[in-house]
Structures are given as structure tokens and as C-alpha cells.
Amino acid sequence: MQQDHADVTAREVKESAGGSVSLTTCSTDSQRKLDGSVTFARFAEKHRRLLNTFIRQNPGLLEKSLSMMLKVPRLIDFDNKRAYFRSRIRQQHEQHLSGPLRISVRRAYVLEDSYNQLRMRPSLDLKGRLNVQFQGEEGIDAGGLTREWYQLLSRVIFDKGALLFTTVGSNATFQPNPNSVYQTEHLSYFKFVGRVVAKALFDGQLLDVYFTRSFYKHILGVKVTYHDIEAVDPDYYKNLKWMLENDVSDIPDLTFSMDADEEKHILYEKTEVTDYELKPGGRNIRVTEETKHEYVDLVADHILTNAIRPQINSFLDGFTELVPRELISIFNDKELELLISGLPEIDLDDLKANTEYTGYTAASSVVQWFWEVVKGFNKEDMARLLQFVTGTSKVPLEGFKALQGISGPQRFQIHKAYGAPERLPSAHTCFNQLDLPEYTTKEQLQERLLLAIHEASEGFGFG
């Protein structure tokens, strides 16, 4: 992997210099830089806690002597990333001393009025301080009206009647609606929504909006995988997983295409659909043992990306006007949710009262240790636990008794996980289910649980 990286860099340098630079010298320099990066990454991994403590005490270190850590952002704690992000945004504010961004909207038409007044404004104008007036109402915007505008606008944008976004899975998370084409100027609206979400981040305003895991990945420029399908369609995910784990040689009609019924399912209520080739000539190319991984990757990309690619691209056009891709990409998908929506207030007693057990009881020592460990969590770790088990940090308005799963109401579940006792906890987000091994000590449970909620990004599912 290192050699490939060095060769690519060498080729780029050679081309930019018109071929006069020695490829060997260039390759050696690149290799030396790469080796230095790897050495630093190992050092940072070993001293992660200490380095994050230094950054917490002196946030400017990430822009100076510890800037190398930005190349391995997974080693930076979320609160330090958030502080760095806000510092960079402040610098943008100071560099572009724009006048105030004034808008005047009618409550009943908050989406239309906001769209018409903001969509044509230059991106530089959007960096100015937002000043909102609701028509027909007295009041000077000292911050409260702006907060209310964000709340009202996000509620309307994500209302199903607007046709822009649709809920999937447990109906708690949103992604672009493939049928937004029925909304006039729909791609212009998506660019506007991208601007609004970025403006909220720019202004430090929180939005009560939760996207699908795959849509956060699209914002970050991270490739989606078949694991992301689990939250959208667990049965389809299980079929793909079965294919990867079993011999598919005996399935004669499996080709690199999606039939019309599958397409209809992917595109929701669209009626006139045909089959879809995953690659040129795909309906005539059989899937074999050798090509099944390629097939699964193409299916995941089609389901989670291709069907809504124009909407994603338009959203990103608006978003990146205010928040550069390289700045937002220091976060992972779960952290991006916390950045946009904030750390939730989680009532642990309510969660505990609405938890069901399988293989354990409320009196089991592992269960009691679990609740003791979780009681000691800070707000960030509580949010990460909720993300790990349910797929989102969103807390239902009516409390955890109203938690939804893929098929309707579904309480928080703790199931006994069988197998090696040292394995990590795993989760099935579509069922709000935590599979918890029978650890031998409370300390082991704490160490394994924290590792799972912080490090496990995918591959934890139907095991």
C-alpha cells in the first residue's frame, strides 16, 4: 500500500514538472514522508489520551505542533474536533466581514420565503450574521428569532408533504426522496437545504434533524457499504450477507442487474420502472463466486447512492459553499450527527424502565454491571451508546416507551450473546438490540462496551 501511494505521488510530481524530475528520487522522498506519517500515527495511537488532554488544554496545538493528528482524525476526541471546527469557522467569519444577512419571512410560508430570499445570495453573503424578521410581528432578533427560524424551517423541509426527504427504517432518520422530481425546482431546493444545514453549522445552531447513516457518509465523502443497507432494509441486508458467506454457484438466474420489482422497492412509490443493469450488459452477466463481492458493492451503491445521486450532489453543492469538505471530513458519520443535532438529554431511568431482556433478566449480574457502567458515562458516551444500538442519537419526544424499530414500536433490547466471552458487544439497529456477552467482571464489560461504541463503525450486525 505504501509503495502504491509513493508511485502515484511520484507520477503526479513528474507530470507537473514536465518529466524532468527523477522518479526514483521523488519516490524516495514520498516514501520518507509516508514513513514519517506512519511513525507519528503509531506514536499518537499509543499516547492518544495524553495528546487529547494537551489539545483540550490548548486547542491551538491542532493548528500548530500537533497538526499531524488531523491526518489520523479518528485519534482525536470528538470535543477536540468540534473545538477545532468552530475555531476554523470563526477564522472564516473574521476573514469575510460581511454585513448582516437579513431575511423577512411569513410563518405560514417559511420554506418558500426563505428559499426565495436565500437561494440567489452569493455564498459570501451567507457568512454574515443572520437576522430574521417574521412578517406582521414585532420583535428584534437578538438570537431567539433565528433559533426559532431554524426550528420552523427544518420542520417544514423534512415534512413528507414537501417531497424532499423521506424516512426509512424506523422512521426516525431521513434521506433524500427519489420522488422529489415531482417537486418543481427540486434540485434547487436541495442546494438550498445544503446551504441551510451548513449555515446552521457555521452559526453554531443545532437542528432537530437526523439523517440516515449513509447520507452522513455522502456528506463526508465516505464510501457507503452493504452494511449501511441494514438500517434501511434488514431483510435485503441479510440476503446480501448470506451471499457473501455461502456459495452462489448454484443460483442460475443471479445476474448483474436488479429486476423491476426490486427497482420499485428501491424507488418507493414510483410505478413505471424497468430492470436496472448494475454494469453494462449486466442482465447477461452471471454472478459467480469470484464476482459476488463486486455484485454486492454495486448493489449497495445503487440502493444508497444512484437512486438519489442528483439530490445528493445538489445538497453538497450548497453545503460546501460554507463548509469545506476537508474541514468536515475530520468527523466520522456518527460524530457528524452529534455536530449537527447536538448531544441529547438522555433520561437513564426512563431508558432502563423501557428495556427488555432475552437470555438475561434485570437481576443478572451482567445487566446490573451494564447499568452501573452506563450511569458513569458522560453525555457524549451516552449519545454514542444510543447511536450504536438504535442507529441514531435521537430521543423520542414521548420518551423511550415510544422508541421505534423497523416494524413499529420496539423497545430497547439487551440480548445475551453466546460465544467467546471476550468478544465485543454487537448491535442490530433495526431492532434496537444490543447483544451483550456474559463478561466475567464489570471492568471487562466497561472496557469492551466503550471500545465498541467508539471504534465499531460497521460489520456489527447479524452475526
Side-chain angles (χ1 to χ4, degrees), residues 93-341:
H93 265 301
E94 289 159 7
Q95 287 167 7
H96 305 283
L97 294 172
S98 312
L101 177 63
R102 291 193 171 92
I103 59 170
S104 175
V105 298
R106 297 165 293 175
R107 279 183 185 274
Y109 300 94
V110 66
L111 175 57
E112 296 84 349
D113 288 354
S114 302
Y115 169 74
N116 286 324
Q117 291 180 44
L118 291 179
R119 70 190 177 100
M120 301 303 288
R121 298 292 284 267
S123 55
L124 194 61
D125 286 4
L126 296 180
K127 295 178 179 180
R129 182 178 173 274
L130 187 60
N131 188 287
V132 178
Q133 181 192 9
F134 288 103
Q135 291 179 20
E137 300 178 23
E138 292 182 10
I140 296 169
D141 188 6
L145 293 179
T146 294
R147 278 194 299 276
E148 191 178 359
W149 175 80
Y150 275 115
Q151 288 171 351
L152 280 175
L153 184 60
S154 56
R155 208 171 294 150
V156 177
I157 286 171
F158 295 96
D159 184 271
K160 287 185 179 178
L163 285 181
L164 295 173
F165 289 83
T166 185
T167 54
V168 297
S170 63
N171 288 328
T173 56
F174 290 92
Q175 70 178 27
N177 184 351
N179 294 301
S180 66
V181 290
Y182 297 125
Q183 158 75 279
T184 53
E185 300 181 41
H186 75 124
L187 294 182
S188 184
Y189 268 98
F190 274 103
K191 182 176 180 179
F192 164 73
V193 175
R195 284 181 145 199
V196 169
V197 174
K199 177 65 175 162
L201 286 176
F202 204 85
D203 292 347
Q205 294 281 351
L206 299 175
L207 297 176
D208 186 24
V209 169
Y210 297 82
F211 295 112
T212 56
R213 201 62 45 214
S214 52
F215 191 63
Y216 288 121
K217 287 186 174 183
H218 288 311
I219 296 174
L220 297 170
V222 173
K223 188 170 175 56
V224 295
T225 74
Y226 81 98
H227 295 287
D228 297 309
I229 295 175
E230 184 184 1
V232 178
D233 190 335
D235 290 332
Y236 206 102
Y237 167 77
K238 276 197 280 190
N239 291 340
L240 294 176
K241 192 168 188 290
W242 182 92
M243 281 182 56
L244 294 177
E245 294 170 351
N246 294 276
D247 193 329
V248 298
S249 305
D250 297 330
I251 308 177
D253 56 349
L254 185 61
T255 65
F256 276 85
S257 64
M258 313 281 284
D259 65 34
D261 286 340
E262 287 177 310
E263 273 298 276
K264 198 175 286 188
H265 185 62
I266 293 165
L267 300 177
Y268 308 109
E269 61 268 9
K270 270 193 179 175
T271 50
E272 295 178 19
V273 295
T274 59
D275 63 340
Y276 177 87
E277 291 190 324
L278 294 166
K279 59 196 292 189
R283 64 173 65 89
N284 299 313
I285 303 173
R286 275 193 60 186
V287 178
T288 65
E289 272 298 286
E290 291 70 37
T291 60
K292 67 183 183 182
H293 285 85
E294 180 193 4
Y295 170 80
V296 167
D297 284 343
L298 289 172
V299 166
D301 207 40
H302 178 55
I303 290 175
L304 299 171
T305 308
N306 289 344
I308 51 173
R309 190 182 295 279
Q311 292 91 328
I312 292 168
N313 290 344
S314 294
F315 177 95
L316 291 175
D317 284 346
F319 185 88
T320 53
E321 283 182 346
L322 283 169
V323 180
R325 171 63 67 75
E326 66 272 12
L327 179 55
I328 202 69
S329 63
I330 62 172
F331 299 97
N332 62 35
D333 50 299
K334 293 179 179 176
E335 291 169 337
L336 181 57
E337 177 180 87
L338 301 180
L339 187 71
I340 292 172
S341 305

Side-chain angles (χ1 to χ4, degrees), residues 20-166:
S20 61
V21 179
S22 160
L23 186 63
T24 310
T25 307
C26 202
S27 190
T28 306
D29 289 345
S30 298
Q31 190 67 47
R32 196 176 294 123
K33 281 182 186 174
L34 192 61
D35 288 343
S37 297
V38 170
T39 303
F40 178 81
R42 287 183 186 140
F43 169 80
E45 184 96 56
K46 187 176 180 183
H47 301 289
R48 177 178 179 171
R49 187 175 295 179
L50 184 63
L51 290 172
N52 273 287
T53 301
F54 286 153
I55 294 165
R56 207 164 279 119
Q57 292 168 347
N58 183 1
L61 288 174
L62 271 181
E63 298 179 49
K64 296 171 188 168
S65 54
L66 290 181
S67 61
M68 285 273 285
M69 284 192 76
L70 293 167
K71 297 185 186 299
V72 272
R74 64 183 181 81
L75 300 180
I76 308 172
D77 290 348
F78 172 66
D79 62 320
N80 284 333
K81 286 184 191 178
R82 187 177 53 193
Y84 170 77
F85 176 83
R86 288 180 177 161
S87 166
R88 288 283 305 275
I89 292 295
R90 270 197 308 275
Q91 289 169 22
Q92 278 202 53
H93 265 301
E94 289 159 7
Q95 287 167 7
H96 305 283
L97 294 172
S98 312
L101 177 63
R102 291 193 171 92
I103 59 170
S104 175
V105 298
R106 297 165 293 175
R107 279 183 185 274
Y109 300 94
V110 66
L111 175 57
E112 296 84 349
D113 288 354
S114 302
Y115 169 74
N116 286 324
Q117 291 180 44
L118 291 179
R119 70 190 177 100
M120 301 303 288
R121 298 292 284 267
S123 55
L124 194 61
D125 286 4
L126 296 180
K127 295 178 179 180
R129 182 178 173 274
L130 187 60
N131 188 287
V132 178
Q133 181 192 9
F134 288 103
Q135 291 179 20
E137 300 178 23
E138 292 182 10
I140 296 169
D141 188 6
L145 293 179
T146 294
R147 278 194 299 276
E148 191 178 359
W149 175 80
Y150 275 115
Q151 288 171 351
L152 280 175
L153 184 60
S154 56
R155 208 171 294 150
V156 177
I157 286 171
F158 295 96
D159 184 271
K160 287 185 179 178
L163 285 181
L164 295 173
F165 289 83
T166 185

